[in-house]
């Protein structure tokens, strides 16, 4: 614990250590994985439990009281200078996609812990409490639903949500129970907006803009809205050698045409991106005409109207393809999150911090989804992006530099020190 009680001077002697400490911890955290030779950490799995234990230990070292809520979110709390003060939420997610990079999500949790640790080191208390949140389900890879932890805090987990089942038929409720959580407690996690100052997340950009601008950090203006669907096409099985081409009801050929229609729709619509990341032919065989396929759709836009109009056009196009080919198509939405704007007061606080570092405060939208999509219904949100090499993410090639992580961590500490609850409240109106 530092002896220097003067506000703001503690950073100098620890500046260089902050980035190095965060990078070392991220390398350590990456070992909590289901893959021996890669990083896969799905919600409510042993890898998630191991990562939760690790961040719990770091939060305790940083002077926080730590608990795990009913949705398995690890919550580290650093009290305010005065009791009854509002709470600022920091953090990100510790779940990953399959064969992931080690910075998506995890960076934001470890940087937030390091920022609180810098305050704790000099026994600084702020006019608000801080809670660092390590969410376990931002990616939504294991279950067809997602943002479970952040939706729970925003009071958005309704009946049926916990009935979502993974590929093995395990329900979210069952998985929470097996993880040692109480699914019945999830609906009671909703936070009081009046006691919540805002949510501020540090995250890798997952895009090329900051690298192109030559900047280590940027301020996010909005998070794109997203729809996720599972599309099922039913045709008719048949012998690959005996059924003439004109008499086939080939579910996979029809799906291929539907997938190309998705690509054409996105290429033809400004501000829209669309991805078919998975396609499967259950019980397919080399010499059987596919009777059934299932493919996923991920549709995103900063504009909800653009996204919804594109989805309506796609549904009509798919129906026409199905009719012409004598198959049926059913598109089931599993996720529909409206776009979320970041709060002016928090964006300005970040911009002032960036300017104090002598950097240009570049503002940019997020094409990737984040927990802020759910929390925007609870409180003002903001995000600080950190440059990542080539904009690569959701890949083991994901990487950031220690210097940029050092800038982001020092910036977060500085912004926390300058944040004033009353000015935030005024500017969020
Ligand atoms: O899919 C996303 O945008 C986020 O990485 N979950
Ligand atoms: Mn992420
Ligand atoms: Mn991600």
């Amino acid at each position: 614990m530092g002896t220097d009680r003067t506000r703001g001077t503690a950073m100098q002697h620890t500046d260089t250590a902050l980035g190095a400490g965060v990078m070392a911890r991220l390398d350590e955290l990456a070992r909590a994985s289901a893959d021996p030779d890669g990083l896969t950490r799905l919600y409510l799995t042993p890898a998630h439990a191991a990562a939760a234990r690790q961040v719990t230990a770091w939060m305790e070292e940083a002077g926080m009281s730590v608990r795990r809520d009913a949705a398995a979110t690890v919550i580290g709390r650093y009290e305010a200078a005065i009791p009854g003060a509002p709470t600022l939420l920091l953090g990100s997610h510790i779940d990953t996609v399959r064969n992931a990079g080690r910075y998506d999500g995890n960076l934001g949790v470890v940087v937030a812990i390091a920022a609180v640790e810098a305050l704790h080191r000099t026994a600084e208390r702020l006019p608000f409490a801080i809670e660092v949140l390590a969410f376990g389900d931002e990616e939504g890879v294991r279950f067809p639903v997602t943002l479970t932890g952040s939706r729970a805090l925003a009071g958005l987990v309704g009946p049926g949500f916990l009935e979502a089942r993974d590929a093995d038929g395990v329900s979210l409720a069952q998985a929470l129970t097996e993880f040692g959580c109480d699914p019945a407690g999830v609906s009671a996690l909703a936070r009081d907006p009046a006691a919540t100052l805002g949510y501020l997340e540090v995250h890798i950009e997952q895009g090329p803009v900051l690298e192109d601008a030559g900047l280590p950090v940027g301020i996010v203006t909005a998070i794109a809205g997203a729809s996720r669907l599972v599309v099922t096409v039913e045709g008719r099985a048949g012998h690959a050698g005996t059924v003439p081409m004109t008499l086939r009801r080939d579910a996979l050929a029809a799906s291929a045409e539907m997938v190309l229609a998705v690509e054409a729709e996105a290429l033809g619509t400004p501000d829209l991106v669309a991805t078919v990341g998975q396609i499967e032919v259950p019980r397919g065989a080399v010499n059987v005409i596919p009777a059934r396929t299932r493919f996923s759709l991920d549709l995103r836009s900063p504009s909800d109207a653009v996204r919804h109009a594109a989805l309506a056009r796609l549904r009509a196009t798919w129906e026409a393809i199905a009719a012409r080919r004598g198959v049926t198509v059913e598109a089931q939405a599993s996720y529909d999150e409206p776009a979320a704007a970041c709060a002016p007061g928090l964006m300005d606080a970040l911009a002032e911090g960036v300017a104090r570092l002598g950097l240009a405060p570049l503002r940019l939208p997020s094409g990737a989804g984040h927990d802020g999509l759910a929390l925007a219904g609870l409180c003002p949100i903001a995000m600080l992006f950190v440059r990542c090499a080539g904009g690569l993410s959701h890949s083991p090639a994901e990487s950031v530099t220690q210097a940029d992580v050092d800038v982001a961590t020092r910036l977060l500490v500085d912004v926390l020190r300058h944040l004033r609850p009353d000015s935030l409240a005024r500017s969020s109106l």
Side-chain angles (χ1 to χ4, degrees), residues 148-159:
T148 306
S150 43
R151 291 170 71 93
L153 298 188
L156 299 174
V157 174

Side-chain angles (χ1 to χ4, degrees), residues 3 67 83 99 111 125 129 189 233-234 253 259 272 366:
T3 50
R67 62 190 172 86
N99 197 26
V111 164
R125 295 286 170 182
L189 294 178
V233 179
E234 301 269 3
V259 170
L272 181 81
S366 172

Side-chain angles (χ1 to χ4, degrees), residues 164-259:
R165 293 182 182 277
D166 68 10
D168 299 324
V170 177
S171 74
L172 179 42
Q174 207 181 329
L176 280 167
T177 304
E178 288 164 10
F179 200 72
C181 293
D182 170 17
V186 172
S187 54
L189 294 178
R191 293 294 178 92
D192 173 4
T196 310
L197 199 52
Y199 173 65
L200 176 48
E201 177 172 355
V202 175
H203 199 286
I204 53 171
E205 180 199 340
Q206 300 177 300
V209 173
L210 290 176
E211 189 172 61
D212 183 58
L215 288 169
V217 293
I219 296 139
V220 177
T221 53
I223 305 172
S227 303
R228 286 187 189 179
L229 294 88
V230 174
V231 183
T232 305
V233 179
E234 301 269 3
R236 188 169 59 198
H239 191 299
T242 59
V243 180
M245 292 307 289
T246 51
L247 297 181
R248 294 185 177 204
R249 296 186 182 185
D250 184 330
L252 183 50
S255 300
E257 190 176 349
M258 291 175 190
V259 170

